[in-house]
Amino acid sequence: MKRFVSLGLALVIMINMLLLAGCGGGDSNAAHNGKGTLQPLLGGTSDSAQPAGSEGTPQEETPRVREYGQVASYLSLDGTLAVRVTYPDGDIDALDEAVYDWTDQQAQAFRGELDPETDNGSFTGDFDSYEVDGRVVSVRMAGRFTQSHDQKPERVTANFHADRTTGQLLHLNDLLCEGGEAALEALVLARVGEYPYGQSPLSSWLLTDEALRLYLPDDSVVELTYEELEGILALPGQEEPEPEPIRQADEIDPDKPMVALTFDDGPYSKVDSRLLDLLEQYNAKATFFVVGNRVGSYTQTVQRMVADGHELGIHTYEHATLTKLDEAGILQQIDLTQQALQDAAGYTSAVIRPPGGACNDFVKQVVGSQGLYLANWSVDTEDWRSRDADSVYNEVMKSVHDGAIILCHDLYESTAEAMERVIPELIAQGYQLVTVSQLLSYTDGGIVPGTLYRQQ
Ligand code: ZN
């Protein structure tokens, strides 16, 4: 709230006229409310009541725009100068003070031009206010000073701007991109042909919902749309909002294509947290084949995987090659990993991915005896070899197919980076991203323990 300064005048009345519907009920301005004191003694009409085409410049006569502030009035009468200026009183102190001070200064200056013995005059004024993107607030004051001995009124205008997010006054330069000033002046020159004035064409400006409006010294107005000002005017919040990403549906449609993204050799929170955020963003599911002896180090990550609805598979306890182990060895690798998952997240896995994909009938038989099955892959991204997001993306897109099980490793940032493009692209192509067990239940007619799926 701007505060009232004493003018030392015979009569100063300040009234908040709540002319605007929805402006709130004069809450904090109760002390200044005094509708009953508004007398018709000032005569004349405000600018807003002037029909178009009357004295003054036409652009000031259009309907008032009032997007900021309550409507307040500066009224004073001392026998010499009658002042009636309507101004906005809002919630940006710096702006309110600047507008008020300008009004006050104008009134005093005009009063100084009058001889109290012989002259009298009036100063009337009104305002438009704009608020763009909830950030840039502009106020244009337009006033008219009329002397009793002078037929021709003197017009005064001033524009004020503030940044709602900081509460500070704004200058056009604050909103211009690098080199924007020269580019903007060139645009104006192209529009008006010639510009013979000493003062910058950018000195009197306003932001409306559609355009930057420049008031030139000859009272003409140049409007430049935000489209025209792309790369010149940097209006934060003006950028297009990020479109909502395509999310896949909650329910799996068995008639639509599906793929399973799988991540081996983790958990590894640094990469998994990125992957989990991505999967969550797209409502996609994946399978993490964990190395059992890593699970205890990343219990929170494992818990989130479970909570987010992903599948956890066994990639042995020590990344062991199962074909080199006897039955006891295989069972130990399975049991220790199941125990780690149980301890970390109360989770029991149904699927094993043998390290290196190495499998044989004996391994299948031992795994089957535990009610588990084996899953290899049908698309190998070779992300461990390339460590390159583009390469991973290309490998997936080159080979993806309905029922694909895609092999990745959650040890590499480049893999997470690739998934930022892979996941939305697969969804855009109509694929449902599901867990390995979901995929096999739908595409392979059910899962049989002791079976190896997607043998290479
Ligand atoms: Zn591995």
Side-chain angles (χ1 to χ4, degrees):
M1 288 290 134
K2 143 235 84 6
R3 265 353 340 148
F4 214 3
V5 284
S6 167
L7 299 174
L9 301 175
L11 171 65
V12 176
I13 310 162
M14 178 176 161
I15 299 170
N16 279 307
M17 295 183 294
L18 302 175
L19 300 179
L20 279 183
C23 268
D27 39 350
S28 59
N29 290 307
H32 298 297
N33 248 332
K35 285 179 184 133
T37 60
L38 177 59
Q39 303 294 322
L41 73 181
L42 298 171
T45 55
S46 71
D47 279 7
S48 57
Q50 295 292 315
S54 69
E55 266 175 335
T57 50
Q59 75 265 20
E60 304 295 348
E61 315 299 344
T62 50
R64 293 292 167 194
V65 178
R66 299 225 162 113
E67 297 176 354
Y68 166 81
Q70 298 181 350
V71 179
S73 282
Y74 181 122
L75 305 175
S76 82
L77 177 68
D78 62 2
T80 304
L81 181 70
V83 180
R84 177 179 175 171
V85 177
T86 302
Y87 66 93
D89 188 4
D91 55 358
I92 304 176
D93 290 352
L95 182 62
D96 294 349
E97 274 164 27
V99 169
Y100 186 88
D101 289 350
W102 176 86
T103 306
D104 191 36
Q105 283 160 15
Q106 296 302 314
Q108 298 204 44
F110 290 143
R111 186 172 295 104
E113 290 181 29
L114 299 171
D115 180 346
E117 300 298 318
T118 58
D119 297 340
N120 61 68
S122 71
F123 173 38
T124 60
D126 209 335
F127 74 96
D128 291 288
S129 60
Y130 301 84
E131 184 151 353
V132 178
D133 280 338
R135 177 180 178 229
V136 179
V137 177
S138 297
V139 172
R140 178 166 177 83
M141 298 295 299
R144 190 175 47 202
F145 171 54
T146 311
Q147 279 194 60
S148 49
H149 303 307
D150 192 348
Q151 295 294 317
K152 193 170 161 46
E154 181 180 337
R155 295 192 64 262
V156 286
T157 59
N159 297 348
F160 304 88
H161 314 277
D163 184 334
R164 172 171 291 292
T165 60
T166 64
Q168 302 295 307
L169 293 182
L170 256 184
H171 303 281
L172 186 54
N173 269 328
D174 300 332
L175 297 171
L176 293 179
C177 305
E178 208 175 313
E181 189 170 344
L184 193 47
E185 286 178 352
L187 266 184
V188 174
L189 191 62
R191 185 70 71 83
V192 299
E194 62 171 356
Y195 187 83
Y197 312 102
Q199 122 195 35
S200 163
L202 312 183
S203 54
S204 182
W205 60 281
L206 199 68
L207 290 188
T208 72
D209 285 337
E210 297 87 26
L212 168 67
R213 189 180 290 169
L214 297 167
Y215 297 88
L216 303 189
D218 62 359
D219 275 347
S220 67
V221 177
V222 170
E223 280 206 346
L224 298 164
T225 65
Y226 294 127
E227 247 173 29
E228 292 174 90
L229 295 172
E230 225 176 289
I232 296 176
L233 192 70
L235 194 54
Q238 190 72 18
E239 307 98 51
E240 291 289 308
E242 288 267 312
E244 278 285 304
I246 309 164
R247 285 167 62 85
Q248 71 176 35
D250 285 323
E251 306 222 332
I252 299 169
D253 183 342
D255 297 328
K256 287 185 179 165
M258 54 187 82
V259 298
L261 289 171
T262 65
F263 299 95
D264 289 10
D265 294 358
Y268 181 41
S269 58
K270 195 174 174 192
V271 174
D272 288 334
S273 58
R274 283 180 73 179
L275 291 173
L276 290 168
D277 286 348
L278 264 178
L279 292 163
E280 181 179 354
Q281 184 183 355
Y282 292 98
N283 199 27
K285 299 294 179 265
T287 303
F288 295 87
F289 287 101
V290 300
V291 174
N293 65 16
R294 298 176 62 94
V295 168
S297 304
Y298 300 103
T299 52
Q300 286 186 352
T301 300
V302 170
Q303 286 162 8
R304 182 178 170 193
M305 289 170 176
V306 173
D308 287 2
H310 303 298
E311 182 166 27
L312 294 177
I314 295 168
H315 200 43
T316 77
Y317 192 73
E318 305 169 298
H319 208 264
T321 304
L322 292 178
T323 50
K324 293 181 178 171
L325 299 179
D326 61 10
E327 179 173 9
I330 296 170
L331 290 178
Q332 188 186 36
Q333 292 292 324
I334 297 171
D335 291 346
L336 287 172
T337 306
Q338 290 286 36
Q339 193 58 53
L341 290 174
Q342 194 58 232
D343 292 346
Y347 188 89
T348 303
S349 181
V351 57
I352 295 174
R353 170 163 292 158
C359 191
N360 57 27
D361 286 346
F362 179 68
V363 170
K364 288 184 203 172
Q365 182 202 315
V366 176
V367 167
S369 73
Q370 303 303 300
L372 302 171
Y373 73 96
L374 296 131
N376 274 341
W377 55 87
S378 61
V379 175
D380 187 353
T381 61
E382 300 211 318
D383 59 340
W384 59 274
R385 194 194 299 272
S386 72
R387 314 273 177 100
D388 179 74
D390 285 343
S391 172
V392 172
Y393 173 85
N394 291 332
E395 290 300 325
V396 172
M397 293 309 154
K398 185 176 75 184
S399 310
V400 69
H401 55 92
D402 186 16
I405 297 178
I406 299 170
L407 172 62
C408 308
H409 297 81
D410 47 345
L411 297 182
Y412 313 113
E413 296 271 6
S414 51
T415 297
E417 193 184 328
M419 290 303 126
E420 288 173 2
R421 292 160 62 202
V422 167
I423 292 172
E425 180 61 25
L426 289 177
I427 294 173
Q429 290 187 12
Y431 288 105
Q432 304 172 91
L433 301 185
V434 298
T435 68
V436 165
S437 289
Q438 288 169 335
L439 178 128
L440 292 173
S441 342
Y442 286 112
T443 61
D444 290 50
I447 294 166
V448 179
T451 304
L452 173 65
Y453 294 89
R454 304 292 185 274
Q455 175 67 302
Q456 291 299 290

